[in-house]
Structures are given as structure tokens and as C-alpha cells.
Amino acid sequence: AQSVTQLGSHVSVSEGALVLLRCNYSSSVPPYLFWYVQYPNQGLQLLLKYTSAATLVKGINGFEAEFKKSETSFHLTKPSAHMSDAAEYFCAVSMSGGSNYKLTFGKGTLLTVNP
Amino acid sequence: KAGVTQTPRYLIKTRGQQVTLSCSPISGHRSVSWYQQTPGQGLQFLFEYFSETQRNKGNFPGRFSGRQFSNSRSEMNVSTLELGDSALYLCASSLGGPSTDTQYFGPGTRLTVL
């Protein structure tokens, strides 16, 4: 079984500040991990994914995430927030090897960026 | 390349009715997944199809069903609608499957059940 916990349903930062969105996972097998972003009235867009290669993964729009097996975490960071980063962010997990053909999503974290 | 399209974008139905939602994947993508998104439950996996075969199904009642056609287009059907079925239904396509390949999401169909 797999699950994802996103700590903090709402995170607020100032423009230019560090963005840190937390994600912890539970998986009985080595996981694949993903971060998606959803802008209002749109579908989800992949930011980055970890599939057992480098533990530090760089994504689009300046985001990156680090896979830490010992902490079962995959936190998303961005050094400097921009107003356009305001959106909802979802962490997701699947089984490595892709044999379960599904993603399990966290509840999401709404990011607000203040001017 | 055209993105994932979903039709209709908005639907209003009454309890007891049934509804069919459609999803056209990106050209060349053979995997289509469906998710239900609600404020309370978040994103929940409904089912995944690949080459007309359902490979996985989420924990939803039998009122929720789907299928995929030979051109990879997919439909999902909800029968005997309940108020709790009101949600945004998202479709996503990928080349080989959602676990490893990048999923591309459509804008969703907003279903309101009155």
C-alpha cells in the first residue's frame, strides 16, 4: 500500500522568499515520486519526478525536490517565490517499475505568494 | 501537438440520472487514467486503461465504469447519480502508464448533481 502526506494544507510566503512544501510518503516497495501543480480552473501539470536515479531532482519553473529515503520525504523547494507560483501543489507516489498503474496523491498544499 | 481534451467541460444533472464523460488523449498516448477531485477527498484514482484494457481500478462503487476505444479515446460513465458525485473529473494520458511516464492532464469536467 502507498500513501502520501502533505504537511500544511496552506502555505503563505512573500515574493522572493524560499518556498518549502513538505511531502512524506509511505510505500512497501521503492517508490516513484512526483510533484504536480494545479492552477485555478486547470488540470494538473508535472513539475518533476523521481524514478530512482539522482536523489536531487530539478523540475520546471525553478523548483527542485530531494528524495530522502531515511526520512521518507520528498519536499519541494524553490529559492525565490514569484507571484506566478501561486497555485495548488500535489505530491504523488507510485510503485517503482510501474506495475500498479496508478498514482496516489496527497491532499494538496495551496501556495499563496504575497507581494 | 494537441493536449488532452475533455468534453463536456461542465455538466449539471439531477440525482438518479446517469452521465457519460469523454476524454481524448494526446496523439500516440495509449494510457488513460481518470481521477475524481473534490475539496474533501482530494484527488482519487478511478481507473486506468491501456490499449482498451482496464489495468487498475480505484475504490469506487460499481456505478462508476469506464472504457477505452481502439483509438485510445476513453469514456467514463456514472449511473444513478448521487449528490456526492459532484466533483471535478480529470482525465490524464501518458505513453505507457502513469507510474513512470509523464501524465498530461486535461482541464476536467465539472459535474454538479442537484
Side-chain angles (χ1 to χ4, degrees):
Chain A
Q2 306 157 266
S3 66
V4 170
T5 302
Q6 291 185 239
L7 300 174
S9 60
H10 189 189
V11 170
S12 182
V13 301
S14 299
E15 191 172 19
L18 171 71
V19 176
L20 170 61
L21 304 182
R22 299 177 187 274
C23 171
N24 288 88
Y25 70 90
S26 172
S27 178
S28 56
V29 298
Y32 288 168
L33 294 158
F34 307 79
W35 275 100
Y36 282 85
V37 61
Q38 185 177 33
Y39 298 101
N41 300 314
Q42 295 186 28
L44 278 71
Q45 179 184 9
L46 180 69
L47 278 176
L48 49 82
K49 63 181 179 182
Y50 166 78
T51 54
S52 74
T55 56
L56 181 62
V57 182
K58 294 187 184 299
I60 62 172
N61 301 338
F63 285 94
E64 64 180 38
E66 186 172 8
F67 172 69
K68 291 187 177 180
K69 183 179 178 180
S70 61
E71 299 177 9
T72 61
S73 69
F74 191 58
H75 302 330
L76 182 71
T77 60
K78 181 174 181 177
S80 176
H82 192 273
M83 297 294 290
S84 60
D85 294 327
E88 190 156 23
Y89 292 79
F90 295 90
C91 182
V93 63
S94 73
M95 290 171 59
S96 60
S99 59
N100 68 335
Y101 310 118
K102 64 177 279 191
L103 293 185
T104 300
F105 284 88
K107 295 284 190 185
T109 298
L110 182 64
L111 176 66
T112 302
V113 182
N114 303 307
Chain B
K1 187 184 275 191
V4 178
T5 58
Q6 293 187 245
T7 56
R9 290 292 310 279
Y10 301 92
L11 264 179
I12 300 176
K13 293 286 188 179
T14 57
R15 280 181 298 173
Q17 288 186 308
Q18 77 165 21
V19 67
T20 299
L21 312 182
S22 180
C23 172
S24 293
I26 290 173
S27 177
H29 286 190
R30 297 167 67 186
S31 169
V32 174
S33 299
W34 288 90
Y35 296 87
Q36 181 195 65
Q37 186 176 24
T38 60
Q41 298 298 318
L43 278 154
Q44 294 189 285
F45 172 76
L46 281 157
F47 22 67
E48 190 262 358
Y49 288 89
F50 182 85
S51 293
E52 302 180 68
T53 299
Q54 185 182 89
R55 297 194 294 189
N56 202 350
K57 187 180 191 303
N59 188 26
F60 278 82
R63 301 185 296 107
F64 291 81
S65 63
R67 59 178 176 169
Q68 186 181 34
F69 303 95
S70 58
N71 62 358
S72 293
R73 191 177 69 85
S74 178
E75 290 181 346
M76 67 163 282
N77 184 278
V78 188
S79 62
T80 320
L81 284 166
E82 300 177 359
L83 294 179
D85 297 333
S86 294
L88 180 67
Y89 290 87
L90 291 165
C91 162
S93 76
S94 61
L95 281 170
S99 301
T100 52
D101 297 329
T102 298
Q103 279 196 112
Y104 295 86
F105 281 78
T109 294
R110 173 75 63 183
L111 172 64
T112 301
V113 182
L114 303 176

